Amino acid sequence: MSVPHALLALLSEGPTFGLRLRQEFEARTGEVWPLNVGQVYTTLQRLERDGLVESDEEGADGSQKRYRITAAGATELATWLHTPPDTALPPRDELIIKVLVSLRLPGVDLHEVLQVHRRHFVEAMQHCTQIKARATDDDLELALVADAELFRLDAVVRWLDAADSRLKRRPVRKPDEVAVSSPRSARKATVWG
Amino acid sequence: MTGVIELRGVSKVYGSGAAEVHALRDIDLTVGTGELVAVMGPSGSGKSTLLTIAGSLEDPSDGEVLIDGLLLSAMSRNDRARLRRRSIGYVFQDFNLLAGLTAAENVTLPLELDGIGSKAARVLGLQALVALGLDGHADRFPDELSGGERQRVAIARALVGDRHVLLADEPTGALDSANGEAVMRLLRSAAEGGVAGIIVTHDAQLASWADRVVFLRDGRIVDQTARPASAESLLVPGPSS
Ligand SMILES: Nc1ncnc2c1ncn2[C@@H]1O[C@H](COP(=O)(O)OP(=O)(O)O)[C@@H](O)[C@H]1O
Ligand SMILES: [Mg+2]
């Protein structure tokens, strides 16, 4: 999972404070991936060092810094959204985060994001199927490994399909209706417990 | 690439007024000899419509279909019917074998409809059945065959004689994964034997047997895979990494 990119995604909706980012991140990702405050600030520092975000000077009265995304940060975010992860690793967590955080991003065509990934995974499946098709009858191991890969990749494609059809049916919501404080712990326990 | 199946700017509208459905919009698709193309898309995206139009079972509202370089719209009804009987094989999920005919009779039916004598037809039919590993099953009725065997008979019927256009709609339907894979291996080897094929499916595992996968959404082609480079090892990342 990519915390830096998820924070960039949230910042692309407008400047905000570090603590607020943490709240938003957890709310948007179904509270499945808890983030501690320290993690948020080190990540923001690194993003700032790399020129992907910038911040106000700390208020004289000790008030919090506000962070905003830079043009370079926006470019980095767009690249991440459209770049499939390495299919050699279980990619789902990052993919789910990517979709969750981009649900309400203005100017992002989610169907397109989903399709970039669908194509990538289907191409990876074609690759495995080619190998399986050529495996000789006595090469059981190769066929089994290819099957395992195919089922894993197929599961991702099915999730993308399901996400696509949910998105098509979703009610239109305005960006300011994000429910930051809705209690989700109960749901978390049943789905991920 | 020589196009055996070619759709140019094909659109299909069903109904009119408020009930108008744009099942296909401006589809361009060319399938060459020896090529197997999968069309993937969610339910209602226009997959079956694309297949029936490519197979001359329905006319497009707009655009042109060419088979073997010939415009369907310029052909007489008779010529089109002959083309369907001689050149095009169809495999569908449900509409498959006639229960009252044996496997061999089902396979030779299109040949006999085309006026080929029953002896010659039987020879060709048995060849097609043998090619699909169904020797010994020729005289069984559909209800004496397993699901996988029935679907293989349907493929034999689609390929019998010198049919070189194969159109399949969810061809592995309710089959389990081993039988589904067997069916896909047969379609793959048919393509390698010089057939141009389109399979439509919502199933990525099936689609992954194709040379190229075309993605349909709301009646439009929105994307397609690159032709895969030859794959040597599972450890090498996929083609587009
Ligand atoms: N004969 C028909 N009359 C009216 N609408 C149709 C007809 N056939 C298909 N449709 C509509 O066209 C669209 C595409 O259908 P279809 O090609 O069957 O999609 P798919 O095979 O991808 O599920 C759907 O909205 C369907 O309801
Ligand atoms: Mg259909």
Side-chain angles (χ1 to χ4, degrees):
Chain A
M1 132 176 107
S2 177
V3 175
H5 289 105
L7 295 185
L8 282 179
L10 293 172
L11 282 170
S12 77
E13 294 182 49
T16 191
F17 303 105
L19 281 177
R20 171 81 183 174
L21 277 174
R22 174 184 166 220
Q23 262 183 316
E24 284 273 342
F25 176 85
E26 293 193 1
R28 295 284 188 91
T29 56
E31 295 183 4
V32 175
W33 293 276
L35 271 189
N36 64 49
V37 185
Q39 225 178 330
V40 172
Y41 282 107
T42 20
T43 305
L44 284 169
Q45 276 163 17
R46 236 178 296 135
L47 289 170
E48 192 163 20
R49 182 199 63 202
D50 296 341
L52 303 177
V53 307
E54 55 194 22
S55 64
D56 302 328
E57 282 309 311
E58 205 166 328
D61 53 357
S63 62
Q64 292 180 44
K65 278 184 175 182
R66 264 159 65 102
Y67 290 87
R68 81 180 69 76
I69 192 168
T70 62
T75 307
E76 170 64 24
L77 172 62
T79 307
W80 177 67
L81 287 176
H82 291 91
T83 306
D86 184 353
T87 38
L89 300 167
R92 261 188 297 175
D93 291 4
E94 180 173 350
L95 186 52
I96 295 171
I97 294 259
K98 197 182 280 191
V99 171
L100 289 175
V101 298
S102 52
L103 271 178
R104 289 177 199 86
L105 288 187
V108 172
D109 181 343
L110 255 172
H111 294 299
E112 200 182 301
V113 171
L114 294 171
Q115 177 54 34
V116 169
H117 290 83
R118 183 185 288 109
R119 183 184 68 229
H120 179 79
F121 284 99
V122 169
E123 283 173 350
M125 290 176 76
Q126 286 178 289
H127 173 83
C128 288
T129 297
Q130 262 194 321
I131 288 165
K132 186 165 79 171
R134 278 201 237 135
T136 49
D137 283 342
D138 57 321
D139 202 344
L140 183 59
E141 289 82 358
L142 185 57
L144 287 172
V145 174
D147 275 343
E149 266 304 275
L150 282 163
F151 282 111
R152 180 178 74 78
L153 297 166
D154 189 40
V156 181
V157 174
R158 286 182 193 218
W159 181 76
L160 291 168
D161 291 346
D164 225 339
S165 77
R166 276 187 204 285
L167 283 168
K168 214 173 160 178
R169 284 176 287 145
R170 80 170 156 169
V172 183
R173 251 206 284 184
K174 294 195 209 85
D176 56 12
E177 285 179 71
V178 177
V180 170
S181 56
S182 69
R184 296 202 176 182
S185 318
R187 261 199 287 161
K188 177 173 77 178
T190 49
V191 178
W192 301 89
Chain B
M1 173 176 51
T2 0
V4 175
I5 310 167
E6 199 173 338
L7 278 67
R8 292 186 188 159
V10 164
S11 296
K12 180 69 180 180
V13 184
Y14 290 113
S16 60
E20 203 171 84
V21 177
H22 289 259
L24 291 178
R25 299 169 192 259
D26 199 20
I27 300 289
D28 290 315
L29 180 66
T30 302
V31 184
T33 299
E35 193 183 22
L36 190 61
V37 170
V39 176
M40 255 189 103
S43 175
S45 58
K47 303 183 298 295
S48 296
T49 304
L50 188 154
L51 206 70
T52 51
I53 288 177
S56 161
L57 298 170
E58 251 186 309
D59 289 322
S61 309
D62 204 357
E64 292 287 358
V65 179
L66 294 87
I67 300 287
D68 295 327
L70 301 173
L71 277 172
L72 292 185
S73 62
M75 294 169 75
S76 68
R77 282 173 69 94
N78 279 342
D79 286 346
R80 285 175 61 156
R82 190 178 313 114
L83 179 84
R84 285 195 294 267
R85 286 196 309 267
R86 289 200 181 154
S87 302
I88 307 177
Y90 307 89
V91 182
F92 296 116
Q93 183 179 346
D94 329 297
F95 169 73
N96 269 318
L97 305 178
L98 299 177
L101 302 182
T102 64
E105 287 164 349
N106 265 287
V107 171
T108 56
L109 187 64
L111 298 177
E112 297 195 38
L113 288 175
D114 199 30
I116 294 181
S118 56
K119 266 199 186 138
R122 169 112 185 151
V123 170
L124 290 169
L126 289 178
Q127 271 172 11
L129 285 170
V130 168
L132 297 189
L134 290 164
D135 16 348
H137 292 53
D139 297 318
R140 293 205 198 169
F141 289 92
D143 66 358
E144 297 167 337
L145 298 168
S146 73
E149 289 163 349
R150 279 202 289 274
Q151 199 58 315
R152 276 190 277 158
V153 173
I155 295 172
R157 183 185 56 190
L159 295 172
V160 72
D162 63 353
R163 280 168 181 67
H164 57 282
V165 174
L166 181 73
L167 302 173
D169 195 340
E170 304 281 5
T172 69
L175 300 180
D176 62 25
S177 68
N179 276 300
E181 179 175 322
V183 164
M184 292 314 300
R185 282 183 188 275
L186 293 170
L187 296 182
R188 179 73 267 157
S189 68
E192 273 148 27
V195 165
I198 302 178
I199 347 166
V200 310
T201 182
H202 65 280
D203 181 336
Q205 295 227 33
L206 287 193
S208 72
W209 284 88
D211 296 300
R212 190 152 56 95
V213 182
V214 165
F215 298 91
L216 208 59
R217 182 182 162 79
D218 297 333
R220 269 182 229 283
I221 292 180
V222 292
D223 201 7
Q224 60 177 305
T225 61
R227 246 175 181 284
S230 76
E232 295 307 330
S233 158
L234 273 179
L235 300 174
V236 176
S240 71
S241 308

